[in-house]
C-alpha cells in the first residue's frame, strides 16, 4: 500500500509540475497581460537544456532548432510571472503566442513549463517521459529558447517556448 501511495503522489506531483501548451491545443482567447521584454544572457542550465533538446531531436533524425533572443525574452517574462506568483502554469499563453506571431514571424507556438527540477538533464528527461511535452519537443518547429529562474528558496522554474516560422 505504501508504494501505491508513493506512486500516486509522484504521479500527482509530475502532473502538477510539468505542463505543455500549444496554440493547437487550446481554444483561442485573449489574455489581459502585457509583456515586458528584456535582453538576457543565457545561464549555463539554459544552454544545457537547449543542447539536450537538440541532441534528442538529432537522435530522432529531426532538425535542430535555433535559439532566438525574442523567444528567450518572452519565455523569461513567463518564468518571472510563475516565480512571482508561486505557480506553474500557462497563464497568459495567448499573449506570448500572439506577440511571437507579430514580432518573431511565428506561425505556430508551443511551450513546456516545469518547476522544481535541479538540473538541465532532469527537466529535459521529465519532459521527454511525458507524452505531451515530448510531442512539443519533437514537433515541427524552427526556433526555441528557454528561461530558467530560481525562486527565493532556490527552486528552479522553467519556460521552454517553441515556434515555427
Amino acid at each position: 500500500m505504501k508504494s501505491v501511495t508513493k506512486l500516486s503522489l509522484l504521479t500527482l506531483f509530475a502532473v502538477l509540475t510539468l505542463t505543455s501548451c500549444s496554440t493547437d491545443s487550446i481554444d483561442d482567447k485573449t489574455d489581459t497581460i502585457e509583456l515586458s521584454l528584456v535582453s538576457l544572457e543565457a545561464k549555463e542550465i539554459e544552454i544545457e537544456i537547449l543542447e539536450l533538446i537538440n541532441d534528442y531531436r538529432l537522435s530522432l533524425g529531426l532538425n535542430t532548432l535555433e535559439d532566438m533572443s525574442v523567444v528567450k525574452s518572452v519565455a523569461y517574462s513567463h518564468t518571472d510571472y510563475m516565480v512571482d506568483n508561486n505557480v506553474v502554469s500557462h497563464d497568459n499563453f495567448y499573449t506570448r503566442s500572439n506577440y511571437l506571431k507579430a514580432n518573431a514571424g511565428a506561425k505556430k507556438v508551443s511551450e513546456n513549463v516545469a518547476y522544481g527540477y535541479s538540473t538541465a538533464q532532469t527537466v529535459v528527461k521529465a519532459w521527454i517521459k511525458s507524452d505531451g511535452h515530448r510531442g512539443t519537443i519533437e514537433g515541427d518547429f524552427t526556433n526555441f529558447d528557454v528561461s530558467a529562474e530560481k525562486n527565493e528558496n532556490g527552486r528552479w522554474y522553467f519556460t521552454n517556448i517553441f515556434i515555427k516560422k
Side-chain angles (χ1 to χ4, degrees):
M1 181 67 175
K2 279 186 174 182
S3 62
V4 171
T5 302
K6 285 181 183 178
L7 181 59
S8 296
L9 289 174
L10 279 172
T11 302
L12 177 62
F13 182 74
V15 168
L16 293 176
T17 59
L18 286 172
T19 56
S20 178
C21 190
S22 168
T23 50
D24 295 336
S25 67
I26 297 178
D27 293 331
D28 194 14
K29 65 179 182 180
T30 304
D31 296 318
T32 59
I33 189 171
E34 286 189 38
L35 296 175
S36 62
L37 302 179
V38 294
S39 179
L40 301 161
E41 291 290 321
K43 296 176 187 70
E44 184 175 328
I45 193 169
E46 295 167 336
I47 294 167
E48 289 176 35
I49 289 168
L50 299 178
E51 289 173 349
L52 288 166
I53 289 172
N54 269 337
D55 289 348
Y56 175 76
R57 288 178 62 87
L58 277 174
S59 76
L60 299 175
L62 300 170
N63 64 301
T64 58
L65 305 175
E66 294 294 320
D67 60 343
M68 194 173 193
S69 61
V70 67
V71 175
K72 178 169 196 54
S73 185
V74 171
Y76 171 78
S77 73
H78 185 59
T79 305
D80 191 47
Y81 168 87
M82 291 192 302
V83 169
D84 287 348
N85 291 283
N86 194 33
V87 64
V88 179
S89 75
H90 293 287
D91 292 354
N92 308 303
F93 174 75
Y94 281 98
T95 299
R96 292 186 295 286
S97 176
N98 290 335
Y99 185 89
L100 291 168
K101 287 175 181 176
N103 295 284
K107 293 181 172 90
K108 177 177 153 184
V109 180
S110 190
E111 71 183 15
N112 288 337
V113 298
Y115 162 79
Y117 296 91
S118 58
T119 67
Q121 292 82 6
T122 57
V123 72
V124 171
K125 199 176 277 189
W127 280 332
I128 289 170
K129 285 184 178 181
S130 161
D131 291 340
H133 297 92
R134 185 176 56 254
T136 297
I137 290 171
E138 295 175 1
D140 182 22
F141 297 105
T142 56
N143 300 85
F144 71 153
D145 222 312
V146 66
S147 169
E149 298 296 326
K150 285 185 179 179
N151 69 7
E152 70 237 6
N153 299 321
R155 308 242 7 192
W156 286 103
Y157 285 77
F158 304 90
T159 304
N160 189 195
I161 297 179
F162 299 76
I163 70 169
K164 179 177 182 172
K165 290 178 92 177

